[in-house]
């Protein structure tokens, strides 16, 4: 089955830019979605279809996808961005949704 | 804004069947082109996609769970359901229901199901 690989953790100082990667075989050919999950809460969609933002999501959140890596970029990081982030794709070869293992973003 | 709410037993015995319902409010479950999905998360671990049912009734399941999972929809009650048979302690998790077009746009708050005798 299709595997998505995320770094377990990323740390960034407030005001800086955080980049969270999601690796997968030819992931650039798939649509990638990103979710933010804070402790004790349900996930929230922050980027869909590689780079689109749902209404209400700040422009600081952006996404890109090419080759074997998709990236979620969070600009001007704030303390409130500290959370777990998950990437997700649809694997059409096995007809199933697949999540990455998640990345814990720490704001220093 | 559509809202989703999971409900069902919080404790299930090993080898029994886990049954959860997701009630949808603020919109009809049979309107639009949506996938109604189930996702779970063991404590301290990542998200696992369980399966989904389309508005038409077609389903897709995680191959690793497919032999034990059934997702169905009850349009008269605006609900969809998850059944997971022959559960073990490994099925202990927070279970979420969600509405998706491609990405899961709307989520329930989640419900903890513990498998224990």
């Amino acid at each position: 089955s299709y595997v998505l690989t995320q770094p377990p953790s990323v740390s960034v100082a407030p005001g800086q830019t955080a980049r969270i990667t999601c690796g997968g075989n030819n992931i650039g050919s798939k649509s990638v979605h990103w979710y933010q999950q804070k402790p004790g809460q349900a996930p929230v969609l922050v980027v869909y279809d590689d780079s689109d933002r749902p209404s209400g999501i700040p422009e600081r959140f952006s996404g890109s996808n090419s080759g074997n890596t998709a990236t979620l970029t969070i600009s001007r990081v704030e303390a409130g961005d500290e959370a777990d982030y998950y990437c997700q794709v649809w694997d059409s070869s096995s007809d199933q949704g697949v999540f990455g293992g998640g990345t814990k973003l720490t704001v220093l | 804004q559509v809202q989703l709410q999971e409900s069902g037993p919080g404790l299930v015995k090993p080898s029994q069947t886990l049954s959860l319902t997701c009630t949808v409010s603020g919109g009809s479950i049979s309107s639009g082109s949506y996938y109604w999905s189930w996702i779970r998360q063991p404590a301290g671990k990542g998200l696992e996609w369980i399966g989904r049912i389309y508005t038409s009734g077609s389903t897709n399941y995680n191959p690793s769970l497919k032999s034990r999972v059934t997702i169905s929809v009850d349009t008269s009650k605006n609900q969809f359901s998850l059944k997971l048979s022959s559960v073990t302690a490994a099925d202990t998790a927070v279970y979420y229901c969600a509405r998706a077009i491609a990405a899961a746009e709307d989520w329930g708050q989640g419900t903890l199901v513990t498998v224990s005798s």
Side-chain angles (χ1 to χ4, degrees), chain A residues 33 35 37 41-43 45 48-49 86 88 90 94-101, chain B residues 39 41 45-49 52 60-63 96 102-105 107-109:
Chain A
H33 319 302
Y35 304 89
Q37 185 181 33
Q41 298 183 18
L45 179 67
Y48 67 97
D49 290 349
Y86 295 90
Q88 184 239 323
W90 180 259
S94 59
D95 274 341
Q96 65 167 324
V98 178
F99 285 98
Chain B
I39 297 146
Q41 184 174 36
K45 297 187 177 181
L47 301 170
E48 180 180 28
W49 187 85
R52 69 182 188 181
N60 299 105
Y61 298 129
N62 185 323
Y96 296 100
E105 303 174 359
W107 295 65
Q109 66 185 25

Side-chain angles (χ1 to χ4, degrees), chain A residues 25-75:
Chain A
N25 185 34
N26 197 26
I27 195 173
S29 66
K30 302 180 184 299
S31 290
V32 180
H33 319 302
W34 291 92
Y35 304 89
Q36 175 194 69
Q37 185 181 33
K38 296 181 179 179
Q41 298 183 18
V44 173
L45 179 67
V46 293
V47 168
Y48 67 97
D49 290 349
D50 296 339
S51 59
D52 291 331
R53 277 187 314 277
S55 60
I57 300 301
E59 292 183 4
R60 300 185 297 105
F61 289 81
S62 63
S64 63
N65 183 19
S66 179
N68 293 318
T69 305
T71 303
L72 173 69
T73 301
I74 309 171
S75 305

Side-chain angles (χ1 to χ4, degrees), chain B residues 28-83:
Chain B
S28 171
I29 200 169
S30 56
S31 67
S33 301
Y34 294 106
Y35 291 96
W36 303 95
S37 307
W38 288 97
I39 297 146
R40 70 181 182 179
Q41 184 174 36
K45 297 187 177 181
L47 301 170
E48 180 180 28
W49 187 85
I50 298 172
R52 69 182 188 181
I53 187 165
Y54 190 54
T55 307
S56 65
S58 65
T59 54
N60 299 105
Y61 298 129
N62 185 323
S64 69
L65 300 171
K66 188 173 184 177
S67 63
R68 299 193 291 131
V69 172
T70 302
I71 297 175
S72 59
V73 64
D74 186 339
T75 55
S76 66
K77 295 182 179 179
N78 225 36
Q79 297 174 334
F80 64 106
S81 299
L82 169 71
K83 291 188 185 299

